[in-house]
């Protein structure tokens, strides 16, 4: 007899993936090039933006593909391009 403990073979158990680990949903808004170009042509000028949350006015200081930065009396506002309904230069 050997001094090794006897190994019992367990049947292989298949584990089901955890159902609570759902894949994350990522929302991607397409770039609205016309709105971005319009805002870029107004950098340094005051505009009024109608957004889905209301109206805001200010000087356009920066424009990115997904947002515009307005300066309203030395306060910066970052407005998502996807939320803009219309633009009116002042």
């Amino acid at each position: 007899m050997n001094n090794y403990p006897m190994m019992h073979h367990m049947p292989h158990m298949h584990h089901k993936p955890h159902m609570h680990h759902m894949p994350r949903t990522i929302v991607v808004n397409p770039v609205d090039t016309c709105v971005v170009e319009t805002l870029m042509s107004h950098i340094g000028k005051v505009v009024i933006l109608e957004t889905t949350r209301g109206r805001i006015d200010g000087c356009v200081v920066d424009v990115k593909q997904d947002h515009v930065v307005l300066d309203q009396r030395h306060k910066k506002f970052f407005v998502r391009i996807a939320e803009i309904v219309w633009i009116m230069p002042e």
Side-chain angles (χ1 to χ4, degrees):
M1 271 195 150
N2 61 25
N3 291 333
Y4 298 108
M6 188 172 199
M7 299 294 269
H8 294 286
H9 293 303
M10 297 288 286
H12 185 69
M13 297 180 73
H14 295 283
H15 295 285
K16 292 184 181 179
H18 296 293
M19 296 306 289
H20 64 277
H21 293 296
M22 300 297 289
R24 290 185 176 187
T25 302
I26 299 173
V27 177
V28 178
N29 291 315
V31 175
D32 196 334
T33 53
C34 291
V35 173
V36 170
E37 288 173 8
T38 298
L39 289 166
M40 288 182 100
S41 72
H42 287 83
I43 290 178
K45 300 175 185 170
V46 175
V47 297
I48 300 171
L49 301 180
E50 179 72 30
T51 74
T52 58
R53 305 280 263 166
R55 241 174 238 188
I56 185 167
D57 64 286
C59 181
V60 179
V61 293
D62 195 13
V63 181
K64 303 294 184 196
Q65 296 298 310
D66 65 335
H67 70 277
V68 59
V69 182
L70 294 184
D71 184 293
Q72 186 185 66
R73 294 179 274 292
H74 306 292
K75 289 184 183 178
K76 300 286 190 278
F77 291 87
F78 299 81
V79 181
R80 291 180 57 217
I81 300 291
E83 300 298 314
I84 297 173
V85 178
W86 54 256
I87 304 164
M88 184 172 74
E90 262 195 1

